[in-house]
Amino acid sequence: MQQRAVGESGLKVSSLGLGTMTWGRDTDEHEARDQLIAFAEAGGTLVDTAAGYADGASEQLLGSLIGDVMARDEIVLATKAGISRRSGSRQVDTSRRGLLDGLEASLRRLGTDHVDLWQVHVWSDETPLEETLATLDHAVTTGRARYVGISNYAGWQTAQAATWQRAVPGRARLVSTQVQYSLLAREVEYDVVPAAEALGLGIFPWSPLAGGVLTGKYRTGTPSDSRGARSDFAGRVDAYLDERGRGIVEAVARAADGLGWTAQQVALAWVRDRPLVTAPIVGARTAAQLQSALGVVDLTLPAEIASALDDVSAD
């Protein structure tokens, strides 16, 4: 698998990242192990998790596999802090206390003394931005994080945070931003992508398959065993199945038929090779699903097809 620099930093990661949001919840330890083995065999290095995934169970499960399936120095280990669940409800805390407590807990669950990329999971108006960013500086200077980034920041938020970190020598520069980005969700191209380009950040798209919609599995209905059949996920799938969305899905399916690829491979190849994208974060419930996605590793979308998909998916 190709190795790419993360923005203008010296950090290099594989051109696909392994997402672990379902680990410890929908993905058990056996499937997780098989996923990590398949990812490593394909040359993957970037594994992304978060303190908020399955209330820490994702990190716990990943930590149990590090050193067994992959050596620690073979993994670019990325996690996120700032979101947790307390008393059954989602809580956002990007304060110095909240972030550092979260980092310490993440390191314990992961069984390591540092992460390679530590990301603020979400913007919060409740904490001064300077406090949040100073906490990233502290994590780097104390050796608990090698690089730092952000996630789910709007364009102006990205520009403000990255500019603040570049303003004074010695601050830990932001190297990446993780955002929703796919053929069905291109809004980041208007503000986040220009900000990332101006300030040297790499982009990690999450949900590059739009919750599975771009695989085509919802073209004729909702499979009973899919996430789209679950009450907590159905709304997200349904939002993509309007007239525009169905047109994009059909265009991807036609491209796949013409190339002899899967629709999944077409959609992943498109977003993987967009300007400034470092690596899409690919999540899968099963090892079989991940193996299918890894089939894109040696594929490059022909320019004329990429251009046609650009046109059909443009707002």
Side-chain angles (χ1 to χ4, degrees):
M1 195 181 303
Q2 182 187 18
Q3 299 293 305
R4 294 176 168 180
V6 181
E8 294 178 354
S9 76
L11 179 63
K12 290 190 175 180
V13 301
S14 51
S15 58
L16 290 179
L18 176 60
T20 64
M21 187 176 69
T22 64
W23 287 25
R25 187 185 61 193
D26 301 323
T27 301
D28 64 23
E29 114 181 62
H30 304 293
E31 288 286 355
R33 176 183 293 274
D34 289 345
Q35 284 189 29
L36 193 57
I37 290 171
F39 186 66
E41 290 178 345
T45 60
L46 174 64
V47 183
D48 180 77
T49 186
Y53 291 168
D55 298 334
S58 171
E59 290 181 329
Q60 189 79 44
L61 180 49
L62 175 57
S64 71
L65 298 174
I66 295 174
D68 182 10
V69 176
M70 292 180 74
R72 175 64 184 89
D73 61 3
E74 294 176 333
I75 294 179
V76 179
L77 185 58
T79 194
K80 297 178 284 291
I83 294 178
S84 63
R85 296 186 69 83
R86 299 174 193 158
S87 304
S89 62
R90 181 178 183 269
Q91 302 290 324
V92 173
D93 185 354
T94 62
S95 69
R96 180 183 178 90
R97 176 186 178 186
L99 289 177
L100 289 180
D101 285 353
L103 178 57
E104 292 298 333
S106 290
L107 294 176
R108 287 195 300 271
R109 288 189 291 264
L110 290 165
T112 185
D113 62 357
H114 74 279
V115 292
D116 299 299
L117 177 63
W118 191 43
Q119 304 151 98
V120 182
H121 206 155
V122 67
W123 173 277
S124 174
D125 291 324
E126 299 299 316
T127 301
L129 179 62
E130 304 94 290
E131 180 178 334
T132 297
L133 296 176
T135 306
L136 300 186
D137 295 338
H138 181 71
V140 171
T141 57
T142 57
R144 287 173 285 181
R146 298 297 189 251
Y147 296 87
V148 290
I150 52 177
S151 177
N152 300 310
Y153 275 36
W156 70 267
Q157 296 165 345
T158 302
Q160 185 178 13
T163 299
W164 180 271
Q165 291 303 93
R166 290 165 63 103
V168 177
R171 289 179 181 161
R173 290 195 177 190
L174 302 181
V175 302
S176 64
T177 180
Q178 190 171 147
V179 289
Q180 184 177 13
Y181 191 12
S182 72
L183 276 162
L184 284 167
R186 297 181 60 182
E187 295 83 359
V188 295
E189 293 178 349
Y190 295 112
D191 56 359
V192 175
V193 172
E197 181 176 23
L199 292 159
L201 277 64
I203 296 174
F204 295 120
W206 61 261
S207 197
L209 297 173
V213 173
L214 287 166
T215 67
K217 65 181 175 183
Y218 298 106
R219 291 170 73 191
T220 59
T222 301
S224 60
D225 62 344
S226 68
R227 285 189 293 171
R230 293 181 356 198
S231 59
D232 63 337
F233 202 79
R236 182 175 170 192
V237 169
D238 291 343
Y240 289 130
L241 298 179
D242 57 7
E243 183 178 356
R244 172 182 175 270
R246 290 185 183 278
I248 294 169
V249 171
E250 290 304 315
V252 170
R254 288 195 299 272
D257 289 342
L259 292 168
W261 299 9
T262 65
Q264 179 187 51
Q265 290 167 348
V266 170
L268 278 178
W270 180 87
V271 72
R272 179 197 62 195
D273 296 329
R274 296 297 290 170
L276 303 182
V277 167
T278 300
I281 305 299
V282 180
R285 285 184 296 122
T286 68
Q289 290 174 341
L290 180 63
Q291 284 280 16
S292 178
L294 292 173
V296 77
V297 167
D298 296 320
L299 301 178
T300 301
L301 201 61
E304 61 273 18
I305 293 180
S307 179
L309 292 173
D310 290 351
D311 292 341
V312 76
S313 62
D315 291 333

